[in-house]
Amino acid sequence: MIEPLLETAGLTKRFGRVVALSDVSLRIDAGGSVGVVGPNGAGKTTLFDCVLGVVKPDAGWVAFDGRRIDRLPTFRRALLGIGRTFQRLELFGGMTPREHLCVTERVRGGRGRLWKDVIGLGRPSPRERREADDLLALVGLEDVADVPVEALNLGRSRLVELARALVGPPELLMLDEPSSGLDDAERAILVSVLERVRHERGVAVVLVEHDLDLVTAVVDRLVVLDVGRVIADGPVDTVLSDAAVRSAYLGSGR
Amino acid sequence: MVEEHDLGLGSRAPGGTDQERRPRGVRTSRVARVVPALVTVLLAAVLAGCASTSTNAPEGTTTGVYSTRVVVGALVSQTGPLPALFAPVVTGARAYLDMVDAKGGVDGRKIDLAYTLDDQSSPSIDASQARTLVDQYHVFAVVAVATASFAGGKFLAAQGVPTFGLNVNPQWMDGPSLYGNSGSFITFTSPNVQAAFVAQQHHVHAAAVLAYNVAQSQQGCRGMVNGLRRYHVPIAYEDLAIPAPASDLHADVTRMKQAKVDMVVSCMTLSGNVLLSQTMRATGMSGVTQLWATGYDENAIRQHTSSMQGAYFMQPNVPFEVTKLQPGLYPGMDQFQKMLKRYFPRTLPSETALAGWTSAALFVEGLRAVGRNLTRSRLVHAINTFKSFTADTILAPVDWRTAHTSSGPINCNAFVQAEGKTFVPVYGTEKSVFSCFETPHPPVTRPISVLNPVPAGVPPA
Amino acid sequence: MALFLSFLLPGIPYGCAYALMGAGLVLTYRASGVFNLAFGAQAYVSAIIFSIAVHDAWPSWAAFVVAVLVASPAIGLAVERLLFRYTRTAGPLVKLVPALGLLIAIPSVTQMIIGTATRLPSSLVLQTWKIYFHLGSTPVSGGELSTTVITVVVVGLFALVLRSSTLGLRMRAVVESPRMAELSGVRADRTSATAWVLSSLFAGLAGVLLAPIFATVSAPNFTALLVAAVAAAAIGGFESLPLALGGAIGLGISQQLLAGYLPSGTILSSGLRPAFPFVVLAVALVARRTLRQSSARDPLASCDPPALAFRAPARMAQVAVGSRAFGALVAGMLVATTLVLVPGSWEFVFTLGAVLSIVFLSITLLTGMGGQISLGQAAFAGAGAFTVGQLAMHAVPVLAAVLLGGLLAAALGTVVALPALRLGGVAVGLLTLSFALLATNVLFLYPWSGNGATGLTVPRPRLGAVSFAGSGAFFWLVLAFLVVLAGAVKLVQWGTIGQELAALRGSERGSAAIGIDMRRLRVVAFTLSAGIAGIGGALYACLQQSISVNDFNYQFSLVYVVVVAAVGVYSVAGALEAGVLYAVLMQLTSTLSSRFSSLLALVFALAALSYVRHPEGVVAYAKAWVLDRAEQLTRHFQRAEPPGTGSRGAAGRAEGRAAGRAEGPQPACLGEAEEAGGRDLRATAGAGAARPPAANGQGRSHLRSRLHGGDRR
């Protein structure tokens, strides 16, 4: 059996009396793609935060690439090769999309040195600029490459975050509701980008999403969370026909 | 009015709609909108002033000396921790100069005290203000200095600028053109006889010495401590590092009470001394002999009558009260009070005002000695031959041939005590209010009998 | 025991005053997120009005009404209405800079109105210094008695109001979460204005109560009172009123006990008393968990738009070149005239301007680029300056000593940055302020460092045969330092560190997600900034040749931040302009009568008030205005060219207008609100204030519309 890329076991997190995660165990293989769905408050974002170290779980552990990472700070986990987008945008205000990507290239490459800055070698290298341009082209943002992100609408802002998460490229991409606020054209870009990074670069994808059409278009496997517990985990079709899932989540809404 | 202005894209927060943007002007503070305009106008006005002041070049051959006037300046700590102490020096000097000018000036020139700069009690600002007076305003002399620290002294001495003022800083010894009010020599830490003398008069068993952690205050009291020790007065409590200005003395006073202190020597300022006295009252300490380094000021005793009762003060000059008690005996002091009342009716006589007066007097006497052909070096040369300067019987005599570098063999002081709403000269003789002591030069082998005042009348002018 | 009691009793009035002001600080902080440092100034104003009125033979009740019930609350209300109402959703810097400006502006305006004459305080109710009775053998004075009784009564009344009236209920709801309170129909801004009025009243009362204990009514005493109150508020974690009150009393008492039991006459004992609140503050900041979070724990906090990020707009090529050429011309003219034309003292002024520019660069780097607030830059500058002074005494070449001074300051910066790592926004500012106070009150007084008010003398440097003793030569030297350092800061801004800092300023979570080590970056920024300040301070020492602790007083740290923020904190040019402007204005105001001696600080403090609207600074704003007009003109003359092809900025702006934020606040915040709501909503619901928003999909549009509707317009 191959080593899973990301593995969690027994993840539990409470906020006061609210149980956000309860004994969540997950495995994601390299190059795999998993959709995490569930009603609001099911603990999807908390799961992301626990995996990335934004929130410290009360119990359980997280391993990435066969190595326990739950004692590492967030930025170290990111440097191991996990790219992430946020449910609520976390863009760098005042910077342009190109600057977002260039600084991410630099950080992920670990090439920044203070002395280089001081003697004027700190600016983005031609290679970094080229890679940034490639990514901008990939998500269709060439035309706004030098516009501060405040001026972009929500959809394009999400694409900037997506591009930022793709720098490296990472081994694992964790997307938190990437399609909210996107128009149809932007959704199409999102789907095609995800397809391309999965197949061309072998990036594993974890996707939290309400939009089931998008989820089923992108992922092979679905995990359903409800009140912090995993109530179903398996191939998309199997899960969607599961009775428990239907009653807990889909039955009422659709 | 400043127009609505787009700062560029970066200044917008994400998430605003067009409707939101429209009333933006209303949403932001009105003050915040007007202020940039106000400030810009202010800046422009001030910058415009810049051009006019910087082109103020001298016309005469000697800096600051013109055919009908001599331009002089003053340098004072008007702001900072101890402003009330220093500010009156200008008033005193002005009163003297106004009197001289009213009589036609000196050799046809009126003396124009045109620039008074504030050093904000900071050594660095002091140095730069001294430069400003000389380089930018081209004063001939600085006739009234009273500053917390006198870092500018070095520059003034190096430039040979005749400088006069209240001597509370060691920089007065930096050169032959600097004239402190009662001699430029100052040594803070050499034993001070006077405190020991007062202690002896009161048969003190346990003295306390209090000073700020400011150089002059601290060193002045260190001299007091040395004097008390030299003459075997027991020191029961000593705190020479009180943060200036004093804000709370409960801990000190409680410990003084604990040590059964019966005399306090304070080198703090008036407000610190008043606080000390009040705190002693609130802690139930009474019958304590107090010797205050500062606070001999009629205005002060009117405001703090009860706090100052019984406190002793010592002066390098005759006390103001002699004018009432022995009119005509000290004409200079009578003149000072008359002129101060004439030109500055709202200013009461104070030590610092008197220092300003005597400083101006020395300057004018120097001008008279030089005559019409005035230069800085001639003035300095003339004053440095004065054998016995008393500012018309106000000061104990100063020998300016040696007073830059030594204190002379005899050291005279007048003592006064606060009584009711006024001060009373004490320890003097019929002929003189001064009590004089031989200056103890270390190492002193003399016995305590030195403490007997050596009568030394004020020599005639 | 009697001795203990006689040390302890005088501490109680201080404790009471700290408690009143500390309670006010907590109240306004929770209600509007503003840490109102201006309370110190308000206390001063009340005290001075009260003493003037009493000396003018007003009955003391009338004086009390005017000073405490009218003046201070009026200032509080005005400040809230005109300034801080608009900063509720802004970042910590926007909230702090105007407060600092007020702390400086209010006393200077007061001084201009009433003059600099010494004002004596008047007792309220009982004779302050009279002994009324004895507690055992320890006398109890009127000041101690009246302060304690009045404080207990006022605090008791306040607690009663808070517990049992509708106003109290509303206030508690707003303090818990202004946004939630608005959602349930409480007029949050009206309630927060009430909080401002009440806490200003407390500040005024504290001022009038404590004034008679000081010998004279002077502003610095009340600034000291304010910082002690800040420490008390920190003990309560900026949220617990009972803890803050208890901490305040404890602080007042332990200050007196320290003064009583430490050996007298030493720098440590005399310095520790004023510095003690800062030691407490530093410990509380580092130890209390609630202070570590950068934002208030309002469940809806994430619905606010992020803090404004300033970015100079890109200009049309022609305009950019023109403005750059003009800037170079002005700078060149300044340098040339300094060396050739201006008389001595103006030469000195321009050199001072260049030196100050270096110190200000450190603020540009840390605050403008790094988004962190330091209120202790003067202490770092002092460290550099005194290093030079000490080393020069030991015959170390002065230029080497200048660099070593920078290094030492940088090391100090690292040390200060380490405990600051976990703190956010205002807390970092307060921590650095406590360092600055410790430096001025203790560290710089020792003979081996600053030698107190006596200070040190510092020679001008020389390099081999070249002496920089002459003012012209020294100007060149300072200029060389300035050019090198300004260039380095600019390069750092463009380079990795600068970009990482920009990212961090934009979003902490986002920058962690791309792998930025926030802690290392903050330490680097602090270290670099302190190092630059240290070099600036060292050159200042060489320029003045005689320096003392007064040159690096903690108040300068506050003034520096205000000056740079007022002129322009986001650009290197801003630091240079600030330095030159400050020095020139200082020279021009030096001849004013002492009543107007604070005009210099006032100009910048007033300008800082505009920070709410113009975070880029007054000068930067003026420049942008001129350049905008220039762009319009240029465009007017080249009609043929369609806008946008020549200039990225214009294109970007067009895009911003067309596509920009048609989306409203990011809806995602609702989810977070729900998750956090479990705890916080209970609290508000308990107060009868709010019901949690409904499940997914139902509350969203409602919430958004309420947020829009509730937005003040």
Side-chain angles (χ1 to χ4, degrees):
Chain A
M1 184 179 168
I2 49 162
E3 185 86 346
L5 181 63
L6 178 79
E7 186 171 10
T8 73
L11 275 186
T12 303
K13 178 74 197 174
R14 291 179 206 88
F15 294 104
R17 278 183 295 178
V18 179
V19 180
L21 288 180
S22 156
D23 195 20
V24 173
S25 300
L26 273 183
R27 287 168 55 105
I28 292 150
D29 297 324
S33 68
V34 177
V36 179
V37 295
N40 256 35
K44 301 176 304 265
T45 299
T46 310
L47 175 65
F48 269 34
D49 285 347
C50 283
V51 167
L52 283 154
V54 178
V55 168
K56 201 172 158 244
D58 298 325
W61 51 265
V62 183
F64 183 77
D65 238 350
R67 192 182 141 200
R68 285 279 292 271
I69 58 168
D70 38 39
R71 287 187 179 279
L72 296 180
T74 307
F75 79 94
R76 288 231 175 279
R77 302 188 197 194
L79 289 179
L80 289 176
I82 306 179
R84 178 203 182 158
T85 69
F86 293 85
Q87 184 183 25
R88 174 178 185 256
L89 286 179
E90 293 286 354
L91 287 173
F92 307 141
M95 294 172 79
T96 66
R98 179 177 277 129
E99 286 167 343
H100 273 75
L101 301 185
C102 285
V103 70
T104 311
E105 301 258 2
R106 179 62 59 85
V107 173
R108 291 215 180 252
R111 286 183 301 274
R113 295 287 177 275
L114 178 59
W115 64 267
K116 283 188 186 167
D117 284 5
V118 172
I119 59 170
L121 298 178
R123 297 200 185 202
S125 66
R127 198 174 65 85
E128 283 167 344
R129 286 183 70 91
R130 206 169 49 241
E131 283 181 13
D133 287 345
D134 289 349
L135 273 174
L136 287 171
L138 182 68
V139 296
L141 292 174
E142 307 99 315
D143 57 327
V144 290
D146 293 306
V147 175
V149 289
E150 283 86 347
L152 305 183
N153 65 19
L154 185 59
R156 305 197 102 185
S157 299
R158 288 219 180 272
L159 292 178
V160 176
E161 236 187 34
L162 176 67
R164 186 178 71 184
L166 283 172
V167 170
E171 288 181 71
L172 174 66
L173 190 58
M174 302 182 75
L175 306 174
D176 201 347
E177 299 201 19
S179 78
S180 70
L182 266 56
D183 63 23
D184 288 345
E186 289 161 348
R187 269 186 46 157
I189 294 179
L190 175 67
V191 172
S192 80
V193 166
L194 290 183
E195 286 295 318
R196 281 185 66 183
V197 295
R198 271 198 66 200
H199 295 119
E200 291 173 17
R201 308 194 188 182
V203 177
V205 175
V206 183
L207 182 64
V208 163
E209 189 53 71
H210 282 294
D211 181 344
L212 272 184
D213 296 338
L214 182 88
V215 177
T216 48
V218 174
V219 304
D220 311 329
R221 203 177 115 206
L222 262 187
V223 172
V224 184
L225 284 181
D226 188 29
V227 207
R229 285 174 306 111
V230 177
I231 58 168
D233 181 353
V236 175
D237 297 340
T238 324
V239 170
L240 286 182
S241 53
D242 186 296
V245 173
R246 287 194 156 274
S247 70
Y249 176 51
L250 305 167
S252 56
R254 293 184 178 242
Chain B
M1 201 57 216
V2 176
E3 271 182 60
E4 171 74 1
H5 166 60
D6 190 345
L7 296 177
L9 302 159
S11 65
R12 295 260 189 249
T17 61
D18 274 328
Q19 288 104 313
E20 263 186 62
R21 199 175 315 153
R22 191 168 31 78
R24 217 178 129 91
V26 189
R27 285 177 59 207
T28 359
S29 158
R30 220 168 298 150
V31 169
R33 236 177 332 141
V34 177
V35 164
L38 277 180
V39 172
T40 317
V41 169
L42 205 56
L43 285 185
V46 178
L47 285 174
C50 164
S52 61
T53 47
S54 61
T55 54
N56 186 2
E59 331 151 6
T61 45
T62 302
T63 309
V65 178
Y66 308 95
S67 57
T68 58
R69 60 189 190 120
V70 181
V71 174
V72 295
L75 180 57
V76 189
S77 296
Q78 287 169 327
T79 47
L82 319 168
L85 180 62
F86 298 117
V89 77
V90 183
T91 320
R94 224 177 250 290
Y96 193 89
L97 298 177
D98 285 354
M99 174 183 81
V100 171
D101 285 348
K103 291 179 193 154
V106 183
D107 294 315
R109 292 194 188 101
K110 298 213 167 163
I111 298 153
D112 183 4
L113 177 44
Y115 305 101
T116 299
L117 301 194
D118 177 12
D119 78 348
Q120 295 166 31
S121 308
S122 149
S124 54
I125 300 182
D126 190 76
S128 73
Q129 295 288 52
R131 263 189 213 100
T132 304
L133 278 175
V134 175
D135 289 342
Q136 193 181 327
Y137 298 123
H138 310 287
V139 297
F140 170 71
V142 184
V143 297
V145 176
T147 50
S149 58
F150 189 31
K154 198 183 233 171
F155 171 79
L156 294 168
Q159 301 278 310
V161 178
T163 304
F164 307 82
L166 180 69
N167 182 3
V168 286
N169 327 86
Q171 285 86 352
W172 285 98
M173 292 185 284
D174 279 355
S177 71
L178 307 186
Y179 302 93
N181 58 324
S182 51
S184 291
F185 181 76
I186 191 162
T187 165
F188 291 109
T189 48
S190 76
N192 180 302
V193 190
Q194 287 86 345
F197 172 70
V198 175
Q200 197 196 42
Q201 298 294 312
H202 282 267
H203 308 291
V204 165
H205 296 295
V209 184
L210 300 179
Y212 288 142
N213 61 354
V214 175
Q216 304 97 306
S217 167
Q218 204 169 48
Q219 291 171 2
C221 254
R222 207 154 272 156
M224 302 275 195
V225 169
N226 290 341
L228 291 171
R229 289 228 176 93
R230 165 82 33 92
Y231 301 108
H232 309 295
V233 180
I235 298 177
Y237 187 77
E238 192 183 315
D239 186 353
L240 304 186
I242 298 171
S247 58
D248 184 273
L249 295 170
H250 277 100
D252 280 314
V253 169
T254 305
R255 288 201 273 193
M256 277 158 51
K257 193 181 172 192
Q258 203 63 15
K260 302 200 165 37
V261 161
D262 56 358
M263 175 183 182
V264 188
V265 178
S266 161
C267 299
M268 296 188 292
T269 50
L270 175 68
S271 67
N273 294 334
V274 169
L275 189 65
L276 170 69
S277 178
Q278 286 173 331
T279 312
M280 289 201 295
R281 194 178 348 146
T283 353
M285 264 180 103
S286 53
V288 180
T289 306
Q290 301 191 42
L291 177 64
W292 292 5
T294 54
Y296 177 53
D297 175 334
E298 282 193 29
N299 199 21
I301 201 163
R302 285 184 197 178
Q303 282 186 324
H304 305 286
T305 313
S306 63
S307 300
M308 292 177 72
Q309 281 317 297
Y312 287 96
F313 302 86
M314 49 193 196
Q315 294 296 300
N317 41 259
V318 298
F320 308 120
E321 287 67 29
V322 295
T323 301
K324 269 187 208 135
L325 298 172
Q326 296 166 292
L329 187 60
Y330 298 97
M333 179 51 78
D334 301 350
Q335 182 88 334
F336 165 66
Q337 301 201 29
K338 198 170 127 197
M339 290 302 147
L340 196 64
K341 199 167 276 173
R342 174 181 301 171
Y343 293 111
F344 299 95
R346 290 171 59 194
T347 303
L348 292 168
S350 69
E351 265 176 89
T352 322
L354 187 68
W357 173 276
T358 57
S359 295
L362 180 59
F363 172 64
V364 169
E365 206 148 307
L367 291 185
R368 293 214 166 99
V370 174
R372 183 77 193 159
N373 195 358
L374 184 60
T375 65
R376 280 175 180 162
S377 61
R378 281 210 189 95
L379 179 71
V380 170
H381 185 75
I383 297 180
N384 286 348
T385 57
F386 288 1
K387 236 190 305 190
S388 172
F389 175 75
T390 63
D392 196 12
T393 69
I394 292 175
L395 301 170
V398 183
D399 183 349
W400 277 114
R401 295 171 305 174
T402 58
H404 287 290
T405 49
S406 74
S407 68
I410 296 211
N411 186 351
C412 296
N413 269 285
F415 287 96
V416 295
Q417 189 175 20
E419 202 181 296
K421 281 189 185 285
T422 181
F423 298 93
V424 180
V426 287
Y427 305 136
T429 61
E430 295 269 306
K431 280 162 80 181
S432 167
V433 289
F434 284 113
S435 303
C436 297
F437 307 91
E438 286 181 32
T439 308
H441 287 292
V444 172
T445 49
R446 295 273 203 126
I448 197 157
S449 63
V450 181
L451 282 179
N452 292 328
V454 180
V458 176
Chain C
M1 190 58 207
L3 184 66
F4 179 78
L5 202 61
S6 55
F7 283 141
L8 182 148
L9 269 183
I12 292 179
Y14 287 98
C16 289
Y18 300 164
L20 282 171
M21 208 182 267
L25 278 173
V26 171
L27 201 59
T28 42
Y29 182 66
R30 297 302 310 279
S32 59
V34 172
F35 215 79
N36 185 21
L37 298 174
F39 281 145
Q42 286 170 261
Y44 167 69
V45 169
S46 285
I48 208 145
I49 291 180
F50 183 74
S51 73
I52 290 176
V54 169
H55 280 281
D56 285 354
W58 288 38
S60 66
W61 65 264
F64 180 82
V65 167
V66 171
V68 176
L69 302 183
V70 177
S72 182
I75 295 176
L77 191 63
V79 161
E80 198 271 343
R81 287 275 130 158
L82 297 174
L83 280 175
F84 291 117
R85 245 181 141 180
Y86 306 95
T87 64
R88 185 174 289 170
T89 59
L93 194 62
V94 178
K95 288 174 176 157
L96 195 65
V97 167
L100 276 177
L102 288 171
L103 180 66
I104 295 166
I106 293 177
S108 43
V109 170
T110 313
Q111 194 183 20
M112 286 179 197
I113 295 171
I114 63 160
T116 49
T118 313
R119 301 283 169 176
L120 300 178
S122 315
S123 308
L124 183 69
V125 191
L126 300 179
Q127 291 293 312
T128 305
W129 299 106
K130 199 174 146 194
I131 299 174
Y132 280 81
F133 62 90
H134 284 75
L135 209 65
S137 61
T138 312
V140 177
S141 71
E144 285 151 15
L145 209 59
S146 56
T147 310
T148 313
V149 171
I150 292 175
T151 306
V152 167
V153 169
V154 168
V155 169
L157 276 178
F158 176 60
L160 206 67
V161 167
L162 214 54
R163 295 232 160 265
S164 51
S165 74
T166 329
L167 175 69
L169 198 65
R170 283 200 194 121
M171 202 172 278
R172 276 187 291 156
V174 170
V175 160
E176 194 65 41
S177 162
R179 301 162 190 84
M180 285 287 190
E182 286 218 317
L183 287 180
S184 56
V186 175
R187 291 278 305 267
D189 55 337
R190 194 171 283 181
T191 314
S192 118
T194 317
W196 273 81
V197 166
L198 254 182
S199 40
S200 301
L201 194 146
F202 287 171
L205 183 62
V208 170
L209 282 178
L210 205 58
I213 293 182
F214 304 124
T216 57
V217 186
S218 69
N221 284 335
F222 294 92
T223 314
L225 166 66
L226 166 83
V227 276
V230 171
I235 294 174
F238 298 148
E239 55 178 26
S240 159
L241 277 174
L243 266 181
L245 296 176
I249 306 279
L251 195 62
I253 290 173
S254 40
Q255 244 179 325
Q256 287 294 336
L257 289 180
L258 267 181
Y261 285 110
L262 281 175
S264 71
T266 62
I267 289 167
L268 194 64
S269 70
S270 67
L272 201 56
R273 196 180 166 277
F276 182 63
F278 303 98
V279 178
V280 172
L281 175 63
V283 171
L285 286 174
V286 176
R288 279 208 66 120
R289 295 186 134 259
T290 54
L291 302 180
R292 290 189 195 152
Q293 273 129 7
S294 43
S295 58
R297 290 183 301 165
D298 188 326
L300 293 186
S302 58
C303 294
D304 290 331
L308 229 61
F310 174 73
R311 182 192 177 94
R315 295 285 174 192
M316 295 174 70
Q318 300 93 320
V319 174
V321 168
S323 82
R324 225 168 274 156
F326 182 74
L329 186 72
V330 170
M333 269 166 52
L334 263 182
V335 172
T337 49
T338 304
L339 290 168
V340 180
L341 288 177
V342 300
S345 67
W346 280 104
E347 187 174 54
F348 178 85
V349 168
F350 287 124
T351 315
L352 178 65
V355 169
L356 285 177
S357 297
I358 294 177
V359 177
F360 291 168
L361 270 179
S362 74
I363 297 175
T364 306
L365 194 145
L366 186 66
T367 308
M369 287 164 55
Q372 301 199 73
I373 305 160
S374 166
L375 302 180
Q377 292 306 100
F380 295 124
F386 294 133
T387 307
V388 178
Q390 295 288 350
L391 289 180
M393 273 196 274
H394 295 90
V396 176
V398 176
L399 269 183
V402 167
L403 298 177
L404 286 173
L407 279 182
L408 183 89
L412 269 179
T414 315
V415 172
V416 174
L418 289 176
L421 277 181
R422 311 177 110 182
L423 303 173
V426 177
V428 176
L430 295 177
L431 186 77
T432 46
L433 178 65
S434 68
F435 169 70
L437 269 132
L438 198 68
T440 356
N441 284 311
V442 182
L443 293 181
F444 289 166
L445 301 187
Y446 287 102
W448 50 259
S449 68
N451 201 20
T454 315
L456 303 172
T457 51
V458 184
R460 290 268 168 93
R462 47 183 312 126
L463 190 67
V466 187
S467 164
F468 295 102
S471 49
F474 188 71
F475 180 71
W476 275 120
L477 180 72
V478 171
L479 209 60
F481 266 98
L482 179 62
V483 168
V484 168
L485 288 175
V489 171
K490 197 99 200 174
L491 289 173
V492 166
Q493 188 173 17
W494 287 332
T496 314
I497 301 282
Q499 292 294 302
E500 286 181 352
L501 282 172
L504 186 61
R505 214 174 62 210
S507 159
E508 281 184 16
R509 302 171 79 185
S511 48
I514 65 164
I516 290 178
D517 184 353
M518 186 175 93
R519 297 183 171 204
R520 186 190 67 96
L521 196 57
R522 285 198 165 157
V523 172
V524 168
F526 249 101
T527 307
L528 283 180
S529 161
I532 295 173
I535 290 180
L539 289 172
Y540 180 84
C542 296
L543 171 68
Q544 299 286 9
Q545 294 178 277
S546 138
I547 48 162
S548 74
V549 64
N550 296 336
D551 291 311
F552 305 101
N553 194 302
Y554 76 96
Q555 285 159 344
F556 282 111
S557 301
L558 310 184
V559 171
Y560 288 171
V561 171
V562 165
V563 168
V564 181
V567 174
V569 71
Y570 292 104
S571 66
V572 169
L576 308 189
E577 290 152 2
V580 173
L581 260 182
Y582 188 79
V584 168
L585 283 179
M586 186 160 113
Q587 180 67 8
L588 291 176
T589 52
S590 66
T591 50
L592 293 176
S593 82
S594 61
R595 170 178 281 215
F596 298 101
S597 61
S598 50
L599 184 69
L600 170 66
L602 182 65
V603 170
F604 289 104
L606 285 179
L609 298 188
S610 74
Y611 194 83
V612 173
R613 183 170 160 82
H614 296 296
E616 78 274 30
V618 172
V619 173
Y621 168 79
K623 279 204 294 199
W625 190 87
V626 171
L627 291 182
D628 274 0
R629 296 298 166 278
E631 278 194 341
Q632 277 177 6
L633 271 180
T634 320
R635 212 166 288 141
H636 180 77
F637 284 116
Q638 23 166 267
R639 277 275 165 75
E641 197 184 359
T645 51
S647 140
R648 266 189 215 141
R653 197 165 305 160
E655 160 101 11
R657 291 222 173 90
R661 55 220 86 98
E663 281 296 326
Q666 280 119 38
C669 75
L670 189 72
E672 290 181 25
E674 275 174 73
E675 277 166 31
R679 185 186 60 82
D680 285 277
L681 290 181
R682 227 181 314 115
T684 18
R691 289 169 55 83
N696 191 31
Q698 290 181 305
R700 188 171 295 177
S701 59
H702 168 66
L703 174 63
R704 196 188 305 169
S705 69
R706 285 306 306 230
L707 282 171
H708 279 214
D711 233 338
R712 279 138 297 281
R713 25 188 95 198

